[in-house]
C-alpha cells in the first residue's frame, strides 16, 4: 500500500512539474520580450488599452497583435492597426490614435517576418534605419502615421520583402537606389508623402511588382521606359507629382496594366496610340500639358471604364473610331482645344455636357447644335 501511494504521489509531482515547465518551453525568449517592452515604452496609446495584454513572461500567447513562429517561438509578426474591425475597436466606437515613435529595438526581433504599425495618425519620428537588417522581413506596413525622415537607404537588403507600404506619412528624401534590388517586391505604396527626385532609371528590375502607387509626392523628371519591363504590373499611379516629358509609348504595350493614373503632372507631347489599343481600363491623363490629337485608334480591344483627358491642350476632332470601342463608361475631354461635331451614339448618348465644356468649338449633343 505504501509503495502504491508513493508511486501515485511521485507521478502527481512529475505531472505538475511537466505542466509547469511546458508553457515556459513554448514561451518567447527573454530577448524578444525585452524588445517588445522597449517598443511599447516608446509608444503611447491612450484610449483602447491595446498594450494592457503585454505583460507576463510569455509574449507568444495573448499579447495583442503579437504572433510567434510555432517551432522557434521567436516573434514573427507584429500586427497593430489603428483602423480595424477587431472587437476592441467596435466596443470603443472609435478608431485608434497613438503617439510616440518606432523604437530601434524592433531590429532585435531577428526572426520578424511581418511588421504592421498602421493608421495610428500620431506616431512620428523616423523609420529605424536598422530595419533593413531584418533578414526575414516580408511585410513592412507603416501607412497612416506622421513618420518623417527618409526611407532607409539600405532598404534593398530586405531580399524577402513583398510589401512596402509607407503611404500617408511625412517622409522626405528620394526613392533609395537600393529599392530596385527588392526582387520579391509585389506591392509598393509611397503615396501622400514629400518624396522628391526621380524614379530610379532601373525601376524595371522590380519584375514581381503588381502595384506601384507613388502619387501625391514631389517626384519629377521623366517616367523611365524600364517600367514597361515589369510584366506583372497591373496598377501604376504616378498622379499629382511633377513628372514632365512625353508619356512612354511602351506603357501601352504592357500585358496586364489595367490602371494608369498620370493626372496632375507636367506631361507634354502627344497621347501614344498604344494607350488606346492597350488593355488599360482606367486611364487618367488629365491636368497635364498634352498636345496633338486624340489618337484615332479605338477598336474592339478598347474597353475603358474611365478615360479622363481633361485640362490639356488637345486639338482637332473627337475621333469617329471611338464609337467602335467595346465600352467607354466615363469619358471627359473638357477644357481642351477640341473642335467639330460630337459623334452620335455610344458612348456619347449617356454623357453629360460637363464632359465636353470649355473647348474651342465642339458642338452637338449634349452641347449646342452645330
Amino acid at each position: 500500500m505504501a509503495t502504491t501511494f508513493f508511486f501515485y504521489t511521485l507521478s502527481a509531482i512529475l505531472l505538475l512539474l511537466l505542466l509547469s515547465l511546458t508553457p515556459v518551453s513554448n514561451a518567447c525568449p527573454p530577448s524578444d520580450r525585452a524588445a517588445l517592452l522597449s517598443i511599447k515604452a516608446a509608444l503611447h496609446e491612450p484610449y483602447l488599452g491595446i498594450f494592457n495584454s503585454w505583460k507576463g513572461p510569455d509574449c507568444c500567447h495573448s499579447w495583442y497583435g503579437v504572433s510567434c513562429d510555432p517551432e522557434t517561438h521567436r516573434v514573427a509578426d507584429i500586427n497593430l492597426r489603428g483602423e480595424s474591425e477587431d472587437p476592441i475597436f467596435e466596443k470603443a466606437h472609435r478608431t485608434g490614435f497613438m503617439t510616440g515613435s518606432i523604437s530601434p529595438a524592433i531590429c532585435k526581433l531577428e526572426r520578424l517576418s511581418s511588421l504592421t504599425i498602421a493608421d495610428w495618425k500620431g506616431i512620428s519620428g523616423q523609420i529605424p534605419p536598422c530595419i533593413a537588417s531584418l533578414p526575414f522581413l516580408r511585410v513592412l506596413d507603416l501607412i497612416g502615421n506622421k513618420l518623417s525622415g527618409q526611407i532607409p537607404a539600405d532598404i534593398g537588403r530586405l531580399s524577402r520583402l513583398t510589401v512596402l507600404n509607407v503611404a500617408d506619412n511625412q517622409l522626405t528624401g528620394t526613392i533609395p537606389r537600393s529599392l530596385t534590388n527588392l526582387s520579391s517586391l509585389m506591392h509598393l505604396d509611397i503615396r501622400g508623402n514629400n518624396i522628391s527626385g526621380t524614379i530610379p532609371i532601373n525601376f524595371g528590375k522590380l519584375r514581381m511588382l503588381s502595384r506601384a502607387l507613388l502619387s501625391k509626392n514631389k517626384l519629377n523628371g521623366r517616367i523611365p521606359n524600364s517600367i514597361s519591363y515589369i510584366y506583372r504590373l497591373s496598377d501604376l499611379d504616378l498622379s499629382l507629382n511633377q513628372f514632365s516629358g512625353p508619356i512612354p509609348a511602351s506603357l501601352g504595350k504592357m500585358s496586364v496594366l489595367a490602371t494608369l493614373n498620370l493626372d496632375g503632372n507636367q506631361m507634354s507631347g502627344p497621347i501614344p496610340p498604344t494607350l488606346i489599343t492597350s488593355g488599360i481600363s482606367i486611364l487618367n491623363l488629365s491636368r497635364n500639358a498634352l498636345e496633338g490629337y486624340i489618337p484615332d485608334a479605338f477598336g474592339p480591344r478598347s474597353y475603358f471604364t474611365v478615360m479622363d483627358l481633361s485640362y490639356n491642350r488637345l486639338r482637332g476632332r473627337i475621333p469617329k473610331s471611338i464609337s467602335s470601342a467595346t465600352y467607354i463608361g466615363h469619358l471627359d475631354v473638357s477644357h481642351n482645344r477640341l473642335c467639330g461635331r460630337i459623334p452620335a451614339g455610344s458612348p456619347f448618348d449617356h454623357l453629360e455636357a460637363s464632359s465636353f465644356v470649355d473647348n474651342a468649338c465642339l458642338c452637338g449633343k449634349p452641347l449646342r447644335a452645330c
Side-chain angles (χ1 to χ4, degrees), residues 233-249:
L233 193 63
S234 62
D235 297 313
L236 178 60
D237 189 351
L238 305 179
S239 62
L240 302 173
N241 279 287
Q242 300 166 15
F243 291 111
S244 58
I247 300 172

Side-chain angles (χ1 to χ4, degrees), residues 12 15 32 51 56 98 136 175 204 232 234 249 269-270 296 308 312 333 366:
L15 180 60
D32 281 13
F51 290 126
M98 192 185 298
F136 297 96
I175 298 174
R232 295 174 180 264
S234 62
D296 193 7
D308 192 344
N312 279 289
V333 295

Side-chain angles (χ1 to χ4, degrees), residues 284-352:
N284 193 341
L285 307 179
S286 64
R287 298 181 186 276
N288 279 286
L290 298 174
E291 300 173 326
Y293 302 98
I294 298 174
D296 193 7
F298 292 86
R301 182 172 167 77
S302 304
Y303 188 104
F304 293 96
T305 55
V306 174
M307 175 181 279
D308 192 344
L309 309 179
S310 62
Y311 290 93
N312 279 289
R313 301 171 186 171
L314 301 172
R315 67 183 190 276
R317 294 175 175 269
I318 296 174
K320 290 184 178 180
S321 66
I322 200 169
S323 297
S324 65
T326 296
Y327 178 77
I328 296 181
H330 173 75
L331 173 68
D332 192 343
V333 295
S334 64
H335 304 279
N336 278 286
R337 300 170 182 175
L338 300 172
C339 195
R341 183 185 296 271
I342 297 172
S346 179
F348 306 99
D349 51 8
H350 69 262
L351 297 174
E352 298 180 358

Side-chain angles (χ1 to χ4, degrees), residues 31-363:
S31 59
D32 281 13
R33 180 179 179 275
L36 289 174
L37 291 177
S38 294
I39 295 165
K40 173 185 175 181
L43 297 169
H44 178 60
E45 190 282 298
Y47 301 113
L48 302 173
I50 66 165
F51 290 126
N52 291 346
S53 62
W54 286 32
K55 57 187 178 182
D58 183 10
C59 60
C60 287
H61 299 87
S62 301
W63 284 39
Y64 183 88
V66 177
S67 302
C68 295
D69 183 281
E71 295 183 359
T72 64
H73 310 298
R74 299 292 305 272
V75 173
D77 302 289
I78 297 176
N79 186 6
L80 301 175
R81 291 192 178 276
E83 296 179 3
S84 171
E85 295 181 358
D86 191 279
I88 196 171
F89 293 87
E90 294 182 359
K91 185 177 180 180
H93 302 291
R94 62 167 296 136
T95 57
F97 180 76
M98 192 185 298
T99 57
S101 61
I102 300 174
S103 171
I106 202 87
C107 306
K108 296 180 179 179
L109 300 173
E110 299 169 352
R111 302 290 300 193
L112 196 64
S113 173
S114 174
L115 174 61
T116 299
I117 303 178
D119 297 315
W120 292 103
K121 306 173 186 67
I123 297 177
S124 58
Q126 296 186 346
I127 301 172
C130 63
I131 216 161
S133 67
L134 294 172
F136 297 96
L137 197 64
R138 296 178 183 273
V139 174
L140 179 58
D141 186 352
L142 305 176
I143 185 175
N145 292 295
K146 287 186 178 179
L147 298 173
S148 58
Q150 302 184 24
I151 298 173
D154 292 333
I155 195 78
R157 294 172 58 191
L158 299 174
S159 60
R160 303 188 185 195
L161 199 68
T162 60
V163 174
L164 175 58
N165 188 350
V166 292
D168 298 329
N169 279 285
Q170 299 173 2
L171 298 175
T172 55
T174 60
I175 298 174
R177 291 184 180 180
S178 74
L179 186 140
T180 59
N181 295 329
L182 297 175
S183 58
S184 298
L185 193 65
M186 300 173 66
H187 179 100
L188 173 64
D189 192 346
I190 63 172
R191 292 174 294 176
N193 284 286
N194 293 304
I195 297 171
S196 58
T198 60
I199 296 178
I201 195 169
N202 59 345
F203 196 79
K205 287 174 60 181
L206 301 172
R207 297 298 177 88
M208 300 297 290
L209 201 63
S210 63
R211 304 191 77 199
L213 310 177
L214 285 66
S215 65
K216 298 181 183 178
N217 279 288
K218 296 178 180 178
L219 296 168
N220 56 56
R222 297 197 171 201
I223 299 172
N225 280 310
S226 69
I227 288 181
S228 62
Y229 304 159
I230 310 174
Y231 59 89
R232 295 174 180 264
L233 193 63
S234 62
D235 297 313
L236 178 60
D237 189 351
L238 305 179
S239 62
L240 302 173
N241 279 287
Q242 300 166 15
F243 291 111
S244 58
I247 300 172
S250 57
L251 295 181
K253 299 178 182 179
M254 299 177 68
S255 58
V256 299
L257 189 64
T259 301
L260 177 61
N261 292 326
L262 301 179
D263 50 298
N265 282 286
Q266 301 164 16
M267 308 297 297
S268 59
I271 297 173
T274 54
L275 298 185
I276 306 302
T277 58
S278 70
I280 295 171
S281 60
I282 297 176
L283 178 65
N284 193 341
L285 307 179
S286 64
R287 298 181 186 276
N288 279 286
L290 298 174
E291 300 173 326
Y293 302 98
I294 298 174
D296 193 7
F298 292 86
R301 182 172 167 77
S302 304
Y303 188 104
F304 293 96
T305 55
V306 174
M307 175 181 279
D308 192 344
L309 309 179
S310 62
Y311 290 93
N312 279 289
R313 301 171 186 171
L314 301 172
R315 67 183 190 276
R317 294 175 175 269
I318 296 174
K320 290 184 178 180
S321 66
I322 200 169
S323 297
S324 65
T326 296
Y327 178 77
I328 296 181
H330 173 75
L331 173 68
D332 192 343
V333 295
S334 64
H335 304 279
N336 278 286
R337 300 170 182 175
L338 300 172
C339 195
R341 183 185 296 271
I342 297 172
S346 179
F348 306 99
D349 51 8
H350 69 262
L351 297 174
E352 298 180 358
S354 59
S355 292
F356 305 98
V357 298
D358 196 18
N359 274 285
C361 53
L362 281 180
C363 60

